[in-house]
């Protein structure tokens, strides 16, 4: 696969040129690996790049088109051996062994000083926004079929002003069918495209403990141990970011949704948080995500009293009865420590979920900061622990023993 990159007034573009060995059909680098078909070879950003480090541009090409690459790539500009070596990790090579055609030994490693937050608009990234007000907010507006998908988050970011945030529109989420990012790091592509111009030194995200250490609530997964094969970040994609000098890290890697909700309450009360868009861009109050958010909010906010009957539906019943229960640690905490807050039709369907005796979901697993590059570690750890108390040894024992199977 060969890539082209160019800019014009107000826009930047990356185009993939498919060659022998490449394919229009691939598997998404996320979740179960859904099969996807490439429909559009050109990524568009409504941001005109002034300067971009060649390794950042190369990484952008890889995260966007990895599912469709065959055995070789040629980037718009030569990249360093650091980027090539990152993709020699066995987590990548077990899927495909890719030859980089244009490598240069003369490319200095990228370094930046400023903090960016790749902002999704929901509870978790809003918690990071609350704890790191100095971070520059970057939010992607999704372009589908040449039309922008509306979201209240757009107005939230625009209200911050040019010095605090930027809304970047891109079609990157809808290049293929079915729609969706080709790899989960595509969620920070709008931060990557701006990084060199903005002197970003780290990209913060809102990935939480349920995703990073608890296998979506199924069981504990020792991500620290996974560094043996995933690289220093405990995730092979994040380790590629770190290798080129622009780490991507979530300060709430060791924090649950219970605590990110607590940290987001002020922004939530100001109507600056969007966690469901199914009702014309607003919360539908029907889906499992809205239900889980109301369970969390009822748990942490005494005056929040949802109308539980609107969730008393076959859809939610089926969700609660599926095992392993998605983000089961949230529900296990709720019915173990505050069962009186919740309706019987909910608690009756959760009697077999592993009980939680300690409120560790309201504390931070501070060992998670060992996954962060050392030059940023103390800054991030000290800030988060000024808001959230670290888990003690007994909390960590219960966390590590969490297992729905």
């Amino acid at each position: 696969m060969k890539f082209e990159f160019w800019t014009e007034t107000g826009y930047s573009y990356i185009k993939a040129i498919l060659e022998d060995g490449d394919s229009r059909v691939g598997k998404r680098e996320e979740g179960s690996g859904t099969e996807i078909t490439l429909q559009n070879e050109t990524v568009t950003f409504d941001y005109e790049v002034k300067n971009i480090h060649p390794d950042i541009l190369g990484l952008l090409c890889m995260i966007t088109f990895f599912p469709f690459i065959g055995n070789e790539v040629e980037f718009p500009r030569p990249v360093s051996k650091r980027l090539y070596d990152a993709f020699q990790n066995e987590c990548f090579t077990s899927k495909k062994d890719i030859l980089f055609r244009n490598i240069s030994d003369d490319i200095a490693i990228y370094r930046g000083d400023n903090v960016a937050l790749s902002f999704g608009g929901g509870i978790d990234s809003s918690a990071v926004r609350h704890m790191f007000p100095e971070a520059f907010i970057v939010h992607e507006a999704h372009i589908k079929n040449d039309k922008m998908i509306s979201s209240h988050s757009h107005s939230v970011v625009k209200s911050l002003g040019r010095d605090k945030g930027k809304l970047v529109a891109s079609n990157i989420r809808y290049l293929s069918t079915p729609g969706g990012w080709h790899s989960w790091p595509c969620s920070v592509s709008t931060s990557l495209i701006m990084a060199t111009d903005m002197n970003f030194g780290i990209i913060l995200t809102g990935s939480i403990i349920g995703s990073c250490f608890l296998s979506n609530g199924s069981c504990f997964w020792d991500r620290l141990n996974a560094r043996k094969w995933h690289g220093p970040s405990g995730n092979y994609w994040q380790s590629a970011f770190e290798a080129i000098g622009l780490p991507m890290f979530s300060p709430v890697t060791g924090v649950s949704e219970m605590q990110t909700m607590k940290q987001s309450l002020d922004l939530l009360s100001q109507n600056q948080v969007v966690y469901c868009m199914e009702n014309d861009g607003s919360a539908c109050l029907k889906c499992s995500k809205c239900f889980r958010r109301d369970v969390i909010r009822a748990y942490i906010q005494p005056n929040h009293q949802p109308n539980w009957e609107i969730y008393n539906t076959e859809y939610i019943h089926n969700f609660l009865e599926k095992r392993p229960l998605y983000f089961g640690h949230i529900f296990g905490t709720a019915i173990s420590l505050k069962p009186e807050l919740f309706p019987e039709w909910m608690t009756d369907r959760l009697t077999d979920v592993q009980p939680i005796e300690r409120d560790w979901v309201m504390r931070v697993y501070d060992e998670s900061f060992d996954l962060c590059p050392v030059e940023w570690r103390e800054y991030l750890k000290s800030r988060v622990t000024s808001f959230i108390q670290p888990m003690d040894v007994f909390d960590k024992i219960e966390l590590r023993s969490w297992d729905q199977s």
Side-chain angles (χ1 to χ4, degrees):
M1 187 173 288
K2 185 176 180 179
F3 295 101
E4 294 179 349
F5 172 73
W6 71 98
T7 64
E8 58 185 46
T9 303
Y11 291 89
S12 299
Y13 304 88
I14 298 174
K15 182 177 182 179
I17 301 171
L18 276 69
E19 302 175 313
D20 290 344
D22 299 329
S23 175
R24 287 190 171 275
V25 179
K27 289 187 176 181
R28 197 184 308 280
E29 279 286 298
E30 187 175 29
S32 59
T34 302
E35 185 173 279
I36 50 178
T37 302
L38 184 65
Q39 304 290 343
N40 185 351
E41 302 87 3
T42 304
V43 186
T44 303
F45 302 92
D46 73 341
Y47 172 81
E48 184 181 353
V49 169
K50 307 303 180 187
N51 189 22
I52 188 166
H53 190 282
D55 283 348
I56 294 177
L57 179 56
L59 183 59
L60 256 172
C61 294
M62 294 299 286
I63 67 173
T64 307
F65 292 101
F66 185 83
F68 312 106
I69 295 171
N71 301 314
E72 298 185 17
V73 290
E74 183 176 329
F75 299 106
R77 302 169 187 172
V79 299
S80 75
K81 193 171 182 294
R82 291 179 295 272
L83 183 64
Y84 172 75
D85 288 342
F87 280 87
Q88 297 311 295
N89 181 296
E90 65 177 304
C91 296
F92 287 116
T93 59
S94 63
K95 299 174 183 179
K96 53 186 74 177
D97 195 356
I98 302 172
L99 171 69
F100 285 21
R101 291 180 191 156
N102 49 342
I103 297 176
S104 171
D105 294 328
D106 300 326
I107 299 171
I109 192 167
Y110 175 81
R111 287 287 183 251
D113 300 312
N114 297 329
V115 179
L117 168 59
S118 193
F119 182 65
I123 296 293
D124 305 322
S125 59
S126 293
V128 178
R129 177 188 165 197
H130 169 70
M131 290 187 284
F132 293 86
E134 70 274 28
F136 187 88
I137 306 298
V138 184
H139 181 67
E140 178 189 330
H142 305 311
I143 303 296
K144 182 179 182 182
N145 299 327
D146 298 323
K147 294 182 180 180
M148 185 182 296
I149 299 175
S150 63
S151 170
H152 177 58
S153 294
H154 299 176
S155 58
V156 171
V157 176
K158 289 179 179 178
S159 71
L160 300 175
R162 294 182 181 178
D163 295 335
K164 291 294 295 179
K166 175 69 173 175
L167 181 70
V168 180
S170 177
N171 65 339
I172 193 169
R173 193 176 174 91
Y174 293 99
L175 295 174
S176 297
T177 54
W181 287 307
H182 295 163
S183 68
W184 69 265
C186 285
S187 61
V188 304
S189 60
T190 47
S191 296
L192 282 174
I193 200 77
M194 298 176 61
T196 313
D197 289 341
M198 297 294 293
N199 192 32
F200 294 151
I202 189 169
I203 299 173
L204 304 184
T205 67
S207 298
I208 50 177
I209 197 170
S211 303
C212 299
F213 278 98
L214 288 173
S215 308
N216 290 332
S218 176
C219 61
F220 180 76
W221 183 68
D222 191 348
R223 186 167 172 175
L224 293 160
N225 185 57
R227 290 178 295 182
K228 295 174 183 176
W229 64 94
H230 276 263
S233 73
N235 176 274
Y236 59 101
W237 278 107
Q238 281 181 250
S239 294
F241 279 69
E242 190 170 335
I244 67 167
L246 182 57
M248 168 179 53
F249 183 75
S250 170
V252 292
T253 295
V255 177
S256 83
E257 285 182 301
M258 293 286 201
Q259 186 58 251
T260 57
M261 173 72 81
K262 181 179 180 181
Q263 297 301 323
S264 301
L265 284 177
D266 286 346
L267 292 172
L268 193 63
S269 67
Q270 298 169 38
N271 194 30
Q272 294 196 37
V273 179
V274 179
Y275 55 81
C276 173
M277 298 172 56
E278 293 302 313
N279 184 19
D280 295 326
S282 301
C284 68
L285 300 181
K286 297 177 182 178
C287 69
S288 59
K289 189 171 187 178
C290 284
F291 175 60
R292 190 172 77 252
R293 294 305 193 195
D294 265 337
V295 169
I296 293 170
R297 196 168 177 185
Y299 183 87
I300 66 166
Q301 194 175 16
N303 62 351
H304 183 70
Q305 298 178 331
N307 176 7
W308 294 118
E309 278 307 302
I310 63 175
Y311 296 113
N312 190 6
T313 64
E314 183 178 1
Y315 173 81
I316 296 297
H317 294 174
N318 290 338
F319 165 75
L320 290 172
E321 291 166 1
K322 186 176 181 180
R323 299 293 180 269
L325 176 61
Y326 185 73
F327 274 54
H329 58 292
I330 297 297
F331 297 97
T333 298
I335 67 165
S336 294
L337 301 182
K338 296 184 180 180
E340 69 279 2
L341 297 178
F342 305 102
E344 287 187 7
W345 61 259
M346 170 186 160
T347 57
D348 286 350
R349 288 176 166 84
L350 299 174
T351 55
D352 63 323
V353 173
Q354 182 177 338
I356 290 178
E357 298 178 0
R358 302 179 62 85
D359 202 10
W360 50 264
V361 296
M362 294 302 292
R363 292 185 272 278
V364 56
Y365 186 49
D366 56 347
E367 293 179 28
S368 62
F369 293 101
D370 290 345
L371 299 169
C372 179
V374 66
E375 62 268 28
W376 292 97
R377 189 174 301 164
E378 184 55 34
Y379 158 67
L380 296 175
K381 182 177 181 178
S382 62
R383 180 67 63 81
V384 173
T385 54
S386 72
F387 287 89
I388 307 171
Q389 180 183 353
M391 295 182 192
D392 63 25
V393 63
F394 299 106
D395 295 329
K396 292 176 182 179
I397 290 172
E398 190 167 54
L399 164 68
R400 292 169 182 148
S401 67
W402 176 259
D403 190 346
Q404 286 199 69
S405 63

